[in-house]
Each structure stands twice: as C-alpha cells, then as structure tokens.
Amino acid sequence: MLTRKSTLTTAMLIFSVLLSFSQNHTQAIRGQVLDNTTQSSLPGANVVVLDTEPLIGTTTDSQGYFTLSGVPAGRVSLRVSFIGYHTKSIENIYLSAAKEKTLEIYLEEQAISMEAVEIRAEKSKKQPINEMASASARAFTVEEAERFAGSRNDVARMAANYAGVAAPNDAENGIVIRGNSPNGLLWRLEGIEIPNPNHFGAMGASGGPVSMLNSNVLSKSDFMTGAFPAEYGNAYSGVFDLHMRHGNYMNHEFTGQMGFNGFEFGAEGPVNRDKNASYIVNYRYSMLSIMSELGFDFGTGTAIPYYQDANFNLHYPTEKAGNFTIFGVGGINHINFVNSESEGDGDGFYGNESFDVYNENGMLSVGLKHDFHFSRNTTLESVLNYSMANQINTIDSVSRTGDIFEDFIRNNLENTTQTLKTTLTHKLNRKNTLKMGANLKSVGYNLQNDIWQSDEQSYFEALNNDGSTMQFQAFGHWKWKPHQNLTFNTGLHYIGLSLTGKESLEPRAGIQWKVHPQHTFSVAYGKHSKTLPVQFYMQRTELDDGSSVRTNDKLGLSKADHYVFGYDWSIMPKLRLKAEAYYQKLYDVPVESSPSVYSALNIRSMTFTMPDSLVNEGTGTNYGMEFTLEQFMKKGGYFLLTASVFDSKYTASDGVKRSTPFDNDYVINFLAGKEWKISAKDAPRMMWLAVDAKITAAGGKRYTPIDIQESIEEEDSVYDLDKAYAMRYPDYFRADIRAAFRIESSKVSQEWAVDIQNVTGHTNPFYQTFNLSENKVETVNQLGFMPVMQYRIYF
C-alpha cells in the first residue's frame, strides 16, 4: 500500500514528466467566417493575427473555413474583413499552447456602401448575437462563467453579476430579473425551449443548485432581460439563448476536470476531416457522492447530492445538402433529507425537522438541427427536438420523538415534449431583413400527486392525469436599417395552448440610434406572456361529496408589457457605460378565486405550491434603473461594476398591493481581475497567474413572519399572511475571491484554482422555520465561508 508521502512523490514525478514536453509555444486557430444574419459562409474573407511579425494571416476557403498556424500562445487578437461587411476585431482570445482554438466569426453587412468600419469585439460584446434585439440584451462568453469569482462554471450564476439581475439565494442558481419570478425565464438551446437544465429543481422550475449545462461545451450565447425580439415566446422576464460550440474538426483533444461540481471528462475531434465534421462530448459525476462513499463527512447529515450529466454536439456540414447538427443535454439526480436519522434542525438549506424528504429528478433534451442556405441571403433552419423531465418525491412526516412515520405527500410527475420548429431568414437587400418562423410542440404528461388527509385517514388525488396537449407559436420580424447608425426592429409573436383554448398576440418593437460613434440610444417595447407548468392546469379540487373536479383548466396566460429606454456610451475603446430605465406592467396573473395573498408572480425557482381554483385577475408592476460600467480586458486586467435600483409590487385576489418576495430595492456587483504571465519568453513552459474578486451588496430578502402561537397549536410553521412579504432581513453582503495558476507545454495544459466564496464569513439569513422541539422561530443562514477547489487538464 502506498503511503501518503509516496503518493505525493509519484504525483509530483508524473507532473514533472508532463511538463518536460516540447517547448514550442505556438498553436493553431481554426474556424469559419459567417454572415451574422443568415449564418451563410463567407468565402474569401481575410483573417489576420494582429501584432505578429511577420504578419500571420490567411483567406477563408469556399466554405468560409480558415486555419492560422504557428500563432504565439497566450492572449492574441484577430482582425477579420470581407468586402461589403464591417471589419471586425476580436481581441484578447486566450490561446493555449496545448489546445487548438476553434472559432465561429460573424460579420455584419454594411447597410450602405461605404468605407470599411471596424467593430471591436469588446465593444460589441454588449451587443447580442441576435442582431434583432434592440435593448436589454448582451452576449456573454464561456470564459466569463469559468473566470468570474463565485460563478462555479455556471452561466446562471455568472449572469447574476449583470445589471438588473439578482440571485435570490446562495443555495441555487435561479435568477430574479427586474423583480420578476425566476420562473418567468426562458431557457433555449440551439433555438429550442428546453426544460429546467439544473439538478434538484422542481419540474417546471427554472433553477437548481447545480447546472447540467457544461461550460466546456457551450459557445458564445445571448442573455436578455426584457422587451426581447419577436422570435422569443412563453417568457415574461428574460431569455437564456444558448449555443453549443463545434468540436475541433482536425485533431482529437481531451479535457479532464475535478472540483466542487464533480469529476468530468470531455473529448472532441473530427468525424470526417474532409467535410470539417466534428464531435464534442462531456460527462460529469458528482464529487460529493464519491467522497461520501469513501467515508468523508461534509456536515450535511444524510443529504448527499448524487448526480450525473452529459452534454454533446455532433456537427456534420455538407456542400449541397446543408449543415446537420445533433445536440443534447441531460442529467439524473437524487437527494434524501432523512431528518428522522439526523441531528439538529434538518439537513442544510432544504432540511426541515418535521419531514423526511426523498427527491429524484431527471431531464433530457436531444435535437436534430438542419441549416440550408438557398443563397447568401436566404437560410432555412429546422429543428426537431425531444425533451423529457420527471420528478419523484415522497415526503414522510416525522413525529417529535421520531418513532411515527406517515407518507404525507407522494409525487410522481413526468412531462415529455416533441417540438418541430422552422425559421426562414431572408435579406431583401442591405437595409431590410425578414425573419419568420413557427413552432409546433406536443406536450405529453403523466401526473400523480397524492396528499394524506389526517381527518379522513385517506389520500386525496390532487393530480391523476395522463394525456397530451398542443402548443403553437409563430412569429414574424422585420429589421430595417435605413442608415448605418439607425436600426428599426418590429415584429409580432403568437402563442396558443390547446389545453385551455387560450392564446396571445404580442407586438414587439425597438429602435437603436447611434447619434455619435461613442453614443447610442435605444427604445424598445414588447408584450410577453407565459403559460404555467402543465401540472397547474390539472390540479383537482375535492367537493363535499368526495368527488373532485379540475378548476384550473381554463386558466389563461400571464401577460406583461415591457417598456425600455437605454443609453450606451463608449467612453474609450475598452471602457463603456450603459444605463437603462424600464417599466413593466403585469396582468392576467393567476391568483386564487377567493381572497388570499397568493399570486403566480411569487413562484420560487425550485419549489412552489399548486393551489386550485385559480383565476386570471392578478396584477403587478416592476420599474427601475440599471447602470453598467465595464472595462474590457486590457493588459490582462478587467472590471465590471453594475448597480440596479428597482421596485417590485403585486396585487392578489385580496386587493392589497404588496411587495413581491423579490423586492430587494437594490443590487450592486463589483468584479475585477488580473492575469500575469510569470514565465520568461524563452522558458521551457508557459506559466500564468490569475486573481479575480467579486463583491455583492443587496437589499435584504423579504419574508412572511411566523405566527408563533398558531405554530405551537398546529405543531407546524404557520405564517402571518396579513404581513406577507412585509418583513425584511438585514442587507445582503458577500465577497468572493478566486486565484488560478496555469502551466502549459505544447502537449499538456493544467490549471489549479481555488474559489473562496463568502471570504469574510458574513452571515446572510435564508429563511425562518419553527422549531417544534423548542417552540421557537429559528433562522437558517445562507452560505458561509466555503473554499471551492478545481483542477483542470487539457491534452
């Protein structure tokens, strides 16, 4: 048996061997240059590496592909130009000595014939990939999710740093956008709506503690916070429009990673080099479950998260039949909170001493996408998708002495969808573009929810449904650019649900006006709506004679009108200031038919109740101001300062106007980072050190106080609903810091990182619960001081 000392010696020896490979610090950059609107290839485009001597450059082939060889590893910048298109600079790309870089570069056609105008990538990063978004949208890169302190390689946690966004708690990644419920968010992957892509989230929710989406597979994507274009539907707060990257179509490469999120292995490479066809796949298994099996105690009692997930993308372009892509993401998980066998007040954030909870979830989304280019100006995109989400819960009541157990809730929910979507994009000319599409979705469901009734000593079937319904969406969008500095976007979206017979027709409009090369104004309006998770419509109400009826099956869609005004100032080439003011009016919101404080606007990201007898009579308002000051990476350093002040109110069926649980008043984020190359130019290997820090301050979380006397009598937590969300915890504060050390040779790249979250150990309340043993209210706090370690290797 190896001793700890001999194991360490062996590891160091292996490490030294890995670092002794070739000292060649150059690498290749491959990719494709495409039209930003139609995604058509641009043959003959020029691609050069800036600041190289002699200049490294090439021209794209007949399919728009290029290869740049012998590029010095480290931070590099490219310039891409094509006749009739704006020249684009892409700066501060990190090129590893051990891994080739594969890029897709999109150029924007000039609205009028003029001299070349250069667009720098850092300035355009504020602009989304979807050029038809006029306001409240920006692109983000995977590097941000991997680098921002506290993000844990999760795009949702990364987005919580942007203006207008707040993370409701440290335990999960559901995000609050402009005071809206996290469930107003739309997750899209390759143009298709997908189920909640997070582990341990309730079916129909939008968040969870751990993302199933792997940053090693994702590409540059869009994040939108309001008044989004006509092609987006079934959402009223925001959109994650995600894309997967293509694998290396010339060489096989591998990735290994272990850290807080789990053990991971990834591979990518060519399927057919002559066709530039490629694959990329990544698999992960939870770290804590493996360590628990080895006997490690994490202080979480019986609650050990078990999960695994996989992401893949297979891309196969053809010369005449178009491009084919098969993509997918999926995961399974389970976690048990067996409080009858634990000590204290339950297992962590989600534990409750009154119950044993057994939870199991699964999600899968796979699709086939086909792009066909009739010409450079006309593209037809079609996607066929299958998605599935399931949730199995059993909740056992636990007596004070822990010797009486009773199944309180038995929950078995499953949804399946089959979606066919087609989108046609056509450039009429340089100034006018039309985009239109339709989306037909078949929604299958198998729902079972039994609730124990103590008085009758029997179970009530709140859900017992097996069937299907149809959802149809269609849109049309017109982009008019009469001048290089003026853009109009107008469109119309339609959504209808056959289950309820309800529908909505939604106009969208936006204007962008660049009054000066450094100053841009934008105005946008959008009407948006969203259906509820299918289990809401199937909820049953028990009648006096013991029978039951469905009382939610005629519910309409929640609706919202968005108004946004924005200003963008490019202060310097790498420094910009952005400000947006917004107003959102929400109406037709589901509330209870009898007077109560319930509103669908207050649905949490992971868990929610499903009341019966709902009607579309609730309202709400959100308004506020947002500011962003951003320094894009310059000489290895960057910073991002965002500030949001807002008000979020709702009115339920009792007619009282109240704060929503997301009405925190303000959120301030400050991020900064710096990287240094610490090896000499002619050193046998490259070494980098990076430090990133983040500070978040926000208004205190709102909550409903517990009625102590009623709780004692009922032997359970009873809330004073007359004071719903009237109370506030102290203001939230959290500071994170991340340090990473990277070392590279031509064959192997390794990175060690530690992300210390809540580095000051500040106490932030999460929620209150009633302690039945001591008859008192107790506060469960959020994340304390927590170091998160990570190791990554590319070879």
Side-chain angles (χ1 to χ4, degrees):
M1 180 179 294
L2 291 174
T3 65
R4 181 176 297 181
K5 182 176 180 180
S6 63
T7 302
L8 180 61
T9 302
T10 302
M12 293 180 65
L13 179 60
I14 295 173
F15 173 71
S16 299
V17 171
L18 290 174
L19 297 180
S20 64
F21 288 125
S22 169
Q23 301 177 17
N24 183 12
H25 294 163
T26 63
Q27 190 51 270
I29 300 177
R30 307 181 190 277
Q32 190 178 22
V33 180
L34 305 165
D35 181 284
N36 192 48
T37 301
T38 64
Q39 320 293 297
S40 300
S41 61
L42 299 179
N46 295 313
V47 186
V48 298
V49 183
L50 299 178
D51 302 321
T52 53
E53 185 62 43
L55 187 68
I56 299 173
T58 189
T59 302
T60 58
D61 64 15
S62 60
Q63 299 300 313
Y65 287 95
F66 68 90
T67 299
L68 296 165
S69 302
V71 181
R75 293 284 175 184
V76 299
S77 299
L78 303 182
R79 178 172 293 161
V80 187
S81 59
F82 187 68
I83 296 174
Y85 285 74
H86 293 292
T87 297
K88 185 173 186 177
S89 290
I90 309 173
E91 301 186 6
N92 288 303
I93 303 168
Y94 183 78
L95 181 61
S96 170
K99 183 177 175 62
E100 294 182 347
K101 178 68 71 173
T102 303
L103 301 172
E104 286 187 341
I105 301 172
Y106 298 92
L107 299 185
E108 180 184 0
E109 190 173 15
Q110 296 174 1
I112 56 177
S113 180
M114 57 185 295
E115 295 182 3
V117 177
E118 182 174 341
I119 302 177
R120 293 183 177 271
E122 275 75 14
K123 292 172 66 176
S124 63
K125 190 169 69 171
K126 65 191 177 186
Q127 299 292 340
I129 298 172
N130 190 326
E131 61 182 20
M132 295 181 174
S134 300
S136 300
R138 67 167 288 162
F140 64 87
T141 64
V142 173
E143 185 180 6
E144 292 173 314
E146 295 177 341
R147 180 165 188 168
F148 284 178
S151 294
R152 304 184 200 170
N153 299 335
D154 184 342
V155 294
R157 296 182 192 274
M158 173 216 62
N161 297 296
Y162 296 149
V165 183
N169 61 70
D170 299 337
E172 50 96 5
N173 64 5
I175 57 174
V176 173
I177 299 175
R178 294 177 171 175
N180 285 292
S181 162
N183 278 58
L185 177 72
L186 170 67
W187 286 99
R188 290 210 331 180
L189 181 64
E190 299 299 339
I192 287 289
E193 179 179 358
I194 62 172
N196 178 20
N198 293 284
H199 289 293
F200 309 111
M203 194 175 72
S206 68
V210 182
S211 175
M212 296 181 189
L213 297 165
N214 197 289
S215 61
N216 292 320
V217 177
L218 294 177
S219 180
K220 188 176 180 181
S221 302
D222 283 343
F223 178 63
M224 305 181 185
T225 57
F228 19 94
E231 70 175 274
Y232 301 100
N234 201 26
Y236 63 77
S237 72
V239 176
F240 263 115
D241 194 4
L242 301 169
H243 302 276
M244 287 185 168
R245 68 181 181 89
H246 300 158
N248 190 324
Y249 49 83
M250 285 297 168
N251 296 303
H252 294 281
E253 297 177 328
F254 305 94
T255 303
Q257 184 170 306
M258 62 179 181
F260 178 83
N261 286 341
F263 291 93
E264 302 180 26
F265 178 76
E268 61 180 288
V271 174
N272 185 325
R273 288 185 174 89
D274 294 335
K275 300 290 187 180
N276 293 324
S278 66
Y279 74 92
I280 183 169
V281 61
N282 195 282
Y283 170 79
R284 176 176 58 179
Y285 195 91
S286 60
M287 164 77 78
L288 296 185
S289 60
I290 294 177
M291 301 303 287
S292 176
E293 294 294 333
L294 296 175
F296 287 84
D297 184 2
F298 299 97
T300 58
T302 61
I304 303 298
Y306 291 81
Y307 59 87
Q308 51 187 315
D309 52 58
N311 295 222
F312 69 90
N313 190 37
L314 172 64
H315 179 62
Y316 200 99
T318 67
E319 189 170 342
K320 295 184 178 180
N323 302 322
F324 295 86
T325 303
I326 301 175
F327 63 92
V329 58
I332 55 176
N333 59 77
H334 71 271
I335 187 169
N336 300 327
F337 303 94
V338 189
N339 296 294
S340 59
E341 299 178 5
S342 64
E343 298 179 358
D345 302 321
D347 292 323
F349 290 125
Y350 313 108
N352 186 312
E353 65 171 342
S354 300
F355 302 104
D356 285 348
V357 180
Y358 303 86
N359 183 71
E360 180 180 340
N361 298 79
M363 177 270 192
L364 174 67
S365 184
V366 293
L368 170 64
K369 183 170 75 170
H370 177 241
D371 301 319
F372 187 80
H373 304 284
F374 294 95
S375 67
R376 184 182 295 175
N377 293 329
T378 306
T379 298
L380 180 67
E381 177 186 280
S382 301
V383 186
L384 182 64
N385 175 267
Y386 170 84
S387 293
M388 180 276 295
N390 75 309
Q391 174 185 340
I392 301 174
N393 298 109
T394 301
I395 302 178
D396 293 334
S397 62
V398 179
S399 73
R400 292 189 182 188
T401 59
D403 58 359
I404 300 175
F405 303 91
E406 202 171 67
D407 280 354
F408 175 59
I409 293 177
R410 297 185 305 208
N411 208 19
N412 192 337
L413 311 176
E414 180 176 315
N415 279 1
T416 60
T417 63
Q418 297 85 39
T419 305
L420 176 61
K421 179 185 176 184
T422 183
T423 304
L424 178 68
T425 304
H426 176 63
K427 284 186 179 181
L428 299 173
N429 49 49
R430 289 176 179 267
K431 297 182 180 182
N432 293 275
T433 300
L434 292 178
K435 190 173 185 180
M436 59 194 72
N439 182 328
L440 181 63
K441 178 190 294 185
S442 172
V443 182
Y445 51 86
N446 190 345
L447 311 171
Q448 184 70 44
N449 185 22
D450 299 328
I451 303 175
W452 178 257
Q453 295 179 312
S454 300
D455 295 340
E456 288 80 9
Q457 291 294 297
S458 63
Y459 285 98
F460 168 61
E461 289 187 338
L463 289 173
N464 185 8
N465 302 90
D466 185 4
S468 64
T469 185
M470 300 295 293
Q471 183 189 96
F472 179 71
Q473 297 183 60
F475 77 92
H477 191 115
W478 172 39
K479 176 187 173 184
W480 177 40
K481 198 164 187 175
H483 188 270
Q484 204 61 45
N485 298 325
L486 184 62
T487 303
F488 294 88
N489 285 295
T490 58
L492 196 63
H493 185 95
Y494 168 84
I495 180 172
L497 182 65
S498 65
L499 179 67
T500 62
K502 305 299 182 180
E503 57 188 3
S504 178
L505 191 62
E506 304 164 1
R508 316 281 175 85
I511 303 172
Q512 276 191 340
W513 181 26
K514 183 176 286 189
V515 298
H516 182 273
Q518 294 177 286
H519 303 280
T520 302
F521 291 93
S522 59
V523 179
Y525 163 78
K527 180 179 179 180
H528 308 277
S529 62
K530 183 169 175 55
T531 62
L532 287 168
V534 68
Q535 58 266 32
F536 274 76
Y537 302 107
M538 299 298 169
Q539 192 72 11
R540 305 187 74 85
T541 301
E542 186 175 21
L543 303 179
D544 293 338
D545 61 3
S547 62
S548 62
V549 295
R550 280 169 36 195
T551 52
N552 292 342
D553 58 352
K554 299 303 179 184
L555 270 177
L557 291 74
S558 299
K559 298 184 177 69
D561 289 326
H562 290 218
Y563 304 87
V564 181
F565 175 80
Y567 166 66
D568 206 303
W569 177 20
S570 296
I571 303 172
M572 292 169 26
K574 293 182 180 294
L575 180 66
R576 63 112 171 189
L577 173 69
K578 180 180 180 181
E580 283 196 339
Y582 66 89
Y583 175 79
Q584 183 185 27
K585 178 183 178 182
L586 300 112
Y587 53 100
D588 290 350
V589 177
V591 296
E592 291 187 292
S593 58
S594 58
S596 78
V597 302
Y598 175 83
S599 171
L601 295 181
N602 299 332
I603 293 177
R604 306 302 179 104
S605 175
M606 287 178 56
T607 57
F608 40 75
T609 58
M610 292 184 293
D612 55 18
S613 304
L614 296 177
V615 293
N616 292 99
E617 297 179 0
T619 60
T621 57
N622 295 307
Y623 59 89
M625 287 283 297
E626 302 164 0
F627 303 91
T628 299
L629 181 63
E630 186 167 11
Q631 169 74 65
F632 300 109
M633 185 168 283
K634 180 179 181 181
K635 296 182 179 179
Y638 74 93
F639 72 79
L640 173 65
L641 174 64
T642 64
S644 307
V645 290
F646 58 96
D647 182 89
S648 179
K649 296 293 191 295
Y650 82 100
T651 303
S653 56
D654 64 354
V656 179
K657 188 175 183 179
R658 294 183 171 89
S659 290
T660 70
F662 316 113
D663 188 18
N664 298 96
D665 292 343
Y666 76 94
V667 179
I668 299 173
N669 290 293
F670 179 70
L671 297 89
K674 174 71 175 177
E675 67 177 20
W676 300 267
K677 184 177 180 181
I678 57 177
S679 57
K681 184 176 181 180
D682 56 351
R685 48 190 178 269
M686 296 174 61
M687 291 183 287
W688 298 79
L689 177 65
V691 177
D692 300 86
K694 169 189 171 182
I695 294 175
T696 298
K701 184 180 177 183
R702 292 190 176 271
Y703 68 96
T704 302
I706 292 176
D707 187 318
I708 297 177
Q709 188 58 44
E710 288 289 330
S711 298
I712 293 174
E713 294 176 4
E714 296 293 330
E715 295 188 344
D716 197 2
S717 298
V718 178
Y719 295 89
D720 185 356
L721 297 181
D722 290 335
K723 300 178 181 177
Y725 311 118
M727 310 299 291
R728 289 183 56 175
Y729 293 120
D731 285 358
Y732 178 93
F733 177 84
R734 176 173 149 181
D736 304 327
I737 188 168
R738 181 181 185 273
F741 174 69
R742 186 168 58 246
I743 189 166
E744 299 189 7
S745 69
S746 63
K747 302 294 184 182
V748 178
S749 172
Q750 301 178 90
E751 182 184 77
W752 294 260
V754 57
D755 193 339
I756 304 177
Q757 302 183 10
N758 197 0
V759 65
T760 64
H762 188 81
T763 299
N764 294 302
F766 186 25
Y767 67 88
Q768 289 185 341
T769 185
F770 188 72
N771 188 317
L772 299 178
S773 302
E774 301 182 18
N775 286 335
K776 68 176 184 179
V777 176
E778 294 184 341
T779 299
V780 177
N781 292 320
Q782 300 201 45
L783 182 72
F785 176 90
M786 188 178 76
V788 177
M789 313 294 290
Q790 178 179 284
Y791 169 74
R792 179 183 298 168
I793 182 171
Y794 296 110
F795 57 97

